[in-house]
């Protein structure tokens, strides 16, 4: 018997070109899964795939903008064509654009809704039938759908109104989906990170970026690998165990 709990399983990770997505892909590969890496930046995906291969794992790259419904469907189909099945979907792709309603633009709000909500819906809709099939046919007898949310989905702060909206909506979507899929043995989970050292802050304008960094200056931020560990824990539980929600905050974080 393999010592790797995900031996034979296939995972698809969105936003896998950096940060939490890349760390999660590496973690799932170490657990034995073959991983489809999905993001828009093909060059960055190839680097992650090379890292996984160098560590003895297996990954394929799928460069796609999943804010487009057809590209999301194509990404799932390419995963099936190249890896044969789909047991785990990690919805990690997202963007955080912080600013007050007075000073932001509708375009920035639309970008967040497009990636944080619409893209998640597109890839989930395409993946669910295959997750159900995997749960009924795999030795594990279970499949997993993990959504990366944020503590901002529960604790809204000034400047984060639409970002918090997208993450709170994710929580509601996941809870409804959990109830729909529980009899199909597809586990639906949400991991809610607090302050993590990722590229998200780089998308902010200079003034907001400096303010965000000042706010967390006294905090030792989480690493992407910390969130990957949480996701790895969730998807490697035996079938009888379901971890539906997990908040992971930095030790010094008060919000």
């Amino acid at each position: 018997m393999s010592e790797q709990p995900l031996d034979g399983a296939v995972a698809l990770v969105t936003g896998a070109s950096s940060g939490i997505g890349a760390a999660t892909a590496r973690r799932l590969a170490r657990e034995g899964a073959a991983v489809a890496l999905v993001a828009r930046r093909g060059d960055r995906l190839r680097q992650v795939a090379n890292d996984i291969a160098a560590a003895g794992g297996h990954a394929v790259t799928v460069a796609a903008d999943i804010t487009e419904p057809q590209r999301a469907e194509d990404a799932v189909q390419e995963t099936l064509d190249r890896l044969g099945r789909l047991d785990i979907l990690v919805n990690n792709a997202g963007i955080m654009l912080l600013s007050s309603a007075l000073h932001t633009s509708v375009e920035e709000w639309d970008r967040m809704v497009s990636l944080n909500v619409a893209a998640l819906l597109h890839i989930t809709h395409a993946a669910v039938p295959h997750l159900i099939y995997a749960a009924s046919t795999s030795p594990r007898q279970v499949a997993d759908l993990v959504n990366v949310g944020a503590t901002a989905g529960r604790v809204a702060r000034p400047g984060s109104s639409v970002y918090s909206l997208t993450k709170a909506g994710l929580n509601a979507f996941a809870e409804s989906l959990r109830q729909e899929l529980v009899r199909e043995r597809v586990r639906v989970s949400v991991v809610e990170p607090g302050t993590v050292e990722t590229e998200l802050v780089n998308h902010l304008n200079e003034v907001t970026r400096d303010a965000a960094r000042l706010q967390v200056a006294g905090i030792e931020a989480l690493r992407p690998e910390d969130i990957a560990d949480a996701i790895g824990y969730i998807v490697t539980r035996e079938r009888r165990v379901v971890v539906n929600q997990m908040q992971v905050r930095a030790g010094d974080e008060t919000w």
Side-chain angles (χ1 to χ4, degrees), residues 1 12 18 57 59-60 78 81 104 126 130 132 134 149 152 154 165-166 168 193 227 240 248-249:
M1 180 179 294
L12 187 161
S18 65
V60 299
E78 186 171 345
D81 292 343
T104 196
H130 306 290
I132 292 173
R154 298 183 184 275
L165 168 70
T166 65
I227 309 306
R240 71 181 186 278
V248 186
R249 285 184 167 93

Side-chain angles (χ1 to χ4, degrees), residues 31 35 87 98-99 115 182 204 223 254:
E31 299 287 0
V35 186
D87 301 85
L98 304 179
S99 189
L115 187 55
V182 66
L204 304 175
R223 299 168 184 168
T254 59

Side-chain angles (χ1 to χ4, degrees), residues 94-117 159-163 165-166 200-209:
I95 191 170
M96 178 181 70
L97 301 174
L98 304 179
S99 189
S100 69
L102 177 63
H103 296 104
T104 196
S105 65
V106 171
E107 287 75 19
E108 287 192 346
W109 283 358
D110 285 345
R111 284 181 64 194
M112 280 191 287
V113 172
S114 180
L115 187 55
N116 297 4
V117 179
S160 70
S161 57
V162 174
Y163 181 68
L165 168 70
T166 65
L200 284 180
V201 72
N202 295 339
H203 298 289
L204 304 175
N205 64 59
E206 184 177 358
V207 173
T208 305
R209 183 172 62 246

Side-chain angles (χ1 to χ4, degrees), residues 220-237:
E220 183 180 0
L222 297 165
R223 299 168 184 168
E225 290 77 14
D226 296 325
I227 309 306
D229 286 345
I231 294 170
Y233 177 85
I234 287 170
V235 303
T236 55
R237 297 309 88 197

